[in-house]
Amino acid sequence: GNSVTQMEGPVTLSEEAFLTINCTYTATGYPSLFWYVQYPGEGLQLLLKATKADDKGSNKGFEATYRKETTSFHLEKGSVQVSDSAVYFCALRVGGSQGNLIFGKGTKLSVKP
Amino acid sequence: GAVVSQHPSRVICKSGTSVKIECRSLDFQATTMFWYRQFPKQSLMLMATSNEGSKATYEQGVEKDKFLINHASLTLSTLTVTSAHPEDSSFYICSASFGGSQNIQYFGAGTRLSVL
């Protein structure tokens, strides 16, 4: 079946530290891959996405590269800020744009000043 | 960006009562709305998908008579948890989409349901 595994949190970093949140997936067919972010008290927001192998999604200084050979989509940011504190969800979708999203469990990131 | 409002954000109820959760798309018409459930330290699990004016499509294992979904307009969907029991306590999240080539979902902030 289709599934997403992401590293368990919480992750606590100091401001300006380098961030990596690992995400691997299992999917039938060719999924699209997503990272969503949920800030406290708000709904999930699409952070970035990639629709095919070797694509790199990027937004707000975050990046993730679709690695088919390792079935991974790790999220990275070179220098985190306190405002990046949130829960991050990795997700996949198969079946094109009409397919359902399948989420990982989420990783809580806390950035300390 | 597109905004989805979910209400209430938190509800506590007695066992046996019914609880209604509303999901509204504030600045767009949502052709499709989704309802998810999330248990502590678990993934968001899709419960059902609803299109305006038609019956919801429930995922396997979700009781449609227990979780009533109404999508009466292009901006409002409701989830009613009927005869709630403590095992229904969870975090319920809705999302809405207006279709298009990318079919992006916009999420509400979620509702924490606690059944005593």
Side-chain angles (χ1 to χ4, degrees):
Chain A
N2 303 313
S3 65
V4 174
T5 302
Q6 61 182 106
M7 63 187 290
E8 290 195 26
V11 174
T12 302
L13 295 174
S14 297
E15 207 165 20
E16 299 184 2
F18 185 86
L19 169 71
T20 299
I21 300 178
N22 290 336
C23 172
T24 58
Y25 66 91
T26 302
T28 54
Y30 302 95
S32 294
L33 302 174
F34 305 84
W35 276 101
Y36 282 82
V37 58
Q38 185 176 28
Y39 299 103
E42 300 182 13
L44 278 75
Q45 302 172 28
L46 179 62
L47 178 60
L48 53 85
K49 67 174 184 174
T51 58
K52 61 182 187 298
D54 299 326
D55 269 3
K56 177 186 284 188
S58 62
N59 186 25
K60 299 182 180 180
F62 291 89
E63 293 183 340
T65 301
Y66 190 142
R67 301 286 189 198
K68 186 179 178 181
E69 63 275 15
T70 54
T71 62
S72 65
F73 193 54
H74 305 321
L75 183 67
E76 297 182 338
K77 186 173 185 181
S79 177
V80 294
Q81 305 300 313
V82 173
S83 57
D84 294 326
S85 298
V87 181
Y88 293 82
F89 292 88
C90 185
L92 68 82
R93 186 169 67 191
V94 294
S97 62
Q98 303 308 310
N100 293 329
L101 287 168
I102 296 169
F103 289 90
K105 295 181 180 181
T107 302
K108 184 175 182 179
L109 170 66
S110 295
V111 181
K112 307 298 184 184
Chain B
V3 178
V4 173
S5 174
Q6 189 172 340
H7 178 80
S9 58
R10 174 145 196 169
V11 58
I12 301 172
C13 69
K14 293 182 179 180
S15 184
T17 60
S18 294
V19 174
K20 180 184 285 188
I21 302 169
E22 291 188 349
C23 181
R24 294 182 184 272
S25 57
L26 297 186
D27 51 4
F28 67 98
Q29 293 186 325
T31 53
T32 306
M33 286 189 170
F34 306 81
W35 287 96
Y36 295 83
R37 182 174 182 177
Q38 185 182 27
F39 290 107
K41 298 185 178 181
Q42 299 297 316
S43 306
L44 280 74
M45 299 299 296
L46 181 65
M47 299 174 66
T49 304
S50 71
N51 293 299
E52 186 263 340
S54 61
K55 290 185 178 180
T57 301
Y58 289 81
E59 295 299 301
Q60 191 173 9
V62 178
E63 300 175 58
K64 61 181 181 181
D65 295 329
K66 172 79 172 172
F67 299 100
L68 300 179
I69 291 172
N70 184 282
H71 191 168
S73 78
L74 284 171
T75 58
L76 174 64
S77 177
T78 60
L79 167 68
T80 301
V81 183
T82 62
S83 186
H85 289 93
E87 59 266 28
D88 299 323
S89 299
S90 188
F91 194 57
Y92 293 87
I93 301 171
C94 74
S95 71
S97 168
F98 54 77
S101 61
Q102 297 186 60
N103 200 29
I104 294 174
Q105 292 182 33
Y106 299 92
F107 287 80
T111 298
R112 173 76 59 192
L113 171 63
S114 300
V115 185
L116 304 179

